[in-house]
Amino acid sequence: MRYAKCVIIPDDEGLHPLDRRIADHPDVTRELLHNVNLLADETIVALYRFSGKRTVLESILSESPMVNQYQLSSADGEHHAYIHLEAHDRLVGLLSMLREFEFIYDTPLEFTRRGGLRVTMIGDVKSFQAAVPDVPDGIRLKLLKTGRYEPNTDRLFSQLTARQQEILRTAVDMGYYDVPRAVTHDDIGEELGCTGGTVGGHLRKIESTILTQIVP
């Protein structure tokens, strides 16, 4: 089983009008695209993770004529949004291409700082080459690497919130998981500008998220 890790790079119009509007707003950040599916009527359902101001995000979603319906859930400054979108040629074309060439894309998909979407596509290596001419106008695929597909820790790490990722990186860098342990929660909190109790709470949530997925 082979994979191709790519960045989907849309032009200034974006992948979809709603996605472009959210990307352009300074008070909301697209973090992850947990899933996106093309329905039989060519409308689209997507599950996003955002950060930023919930009120701004709600305003964008409620006012957009491209949104059929949405549901929003928020915790710790992160917002998960289930969105049912109206059809749009560019995104419909991209998802149709992935389906035609029988690709499976590993989730979640990550947004890059420049507005691209990093995706790992799994399938027959010959199909990757054949699919390139069918990429819709206005979208470019930048191939990063190919190889044998084996699930790895990148997927687990990407499921953490941005704050959890920062705390985990800091804890590892400072030696919290060394044997013997080199620092305390308070030491990490001092580095990050928060309390030791906050660090401990985040680390417990991080460990729960990761360990429950790796223990058979």
Side-chain angles (χ1 to χ4, degrees), residues 62-158:
S62 62
E63 293 174 6
S64 173
M66 300 298 291
V67 175
N68 288 329
Q69 63 170 314
Y70 74 91
Q71 298 178 33
L72 201 56
S73 176
S74 301
D76 297 327
E78 302 282 346
H79 317 294
H80 287 83
Y82 167 87
I83 309 173
H84 183 194
L85 296 164
E86 283 290 337
H88 183 263
D89 289 347
R90 181 169 295 184
L91 187 52
V92 168
L94 179 63
L95 294 175
S96 296
M97 182 270 289
L98 294 175
R99 184 169 60 189
E100 178 184 352
F101 288 93
E102 300 180 351
F103 292 136
I104 295 173
Y105 48 90
D106 203 3
T107 56
L109 287 67
E110 301 174 68
F111 288 97
T112 68
R113 291 183 179 181
R114 297 185 177 182
L117 196 59
R118 189 178 294 109
V119 56
T120 298
M121 296 190 295
I122 306 157
D124 177 54
V125 69
K126 294 180 181 178
S127 296
F128 298 135
Q129 300 168 349
V132 171
D134 284 11
V135 174
D137 291 341
I139 295 177
R140 181 166 61 91
L141 285 185
K142 180 181 179 182
L143 180 64
L144 300 178
K145 63 178 179 178
T146 62
R148 180 179 176 180
Y149 177 74
E150 294 180 4
N152 55 41
T153 56
D154 289 348
R155 182 174 179 179
L156 290 176
F157 188 73
S158 67

Side-chain angles (χ1 to χ4, degrees), residues 29-73:
T29 300
R30 300 168 302 168
E31 300 287 352
L32 295 174
L33 182 56
H34 280 289
N35 214 331
V36 57
N37 286 304
L38 182 64
L39 303 183
D41 62 358
E42 294 194 343
T43 60
I44 299 152
V45 289
L47 180 63
Y48 280 89
R49 191 177 89 194
F50 301 103
S51 61
K53 295 182 178 179
R54 178 183 171 119
T55 53
V56 172
L57 182 58
E58 285 182 310
S59 177
I60 293 172
L61 294 176
S62 62
E63 293 174 6
S64 173
M66 300 298 291
V67 175
N68 288 329
Q69 63 170 314
Y70 74 91
Q71 298 178 33
L72 201 56
S73 176

Side-chain angles (χ1 to χ4, degrees), residues 186-199:
D186 288 337
D187 295 327
I188 299 168
E190 184 176 352
E191 177 71 17
L192 293 170
C194 61
T195 67
T198 297
V199 170

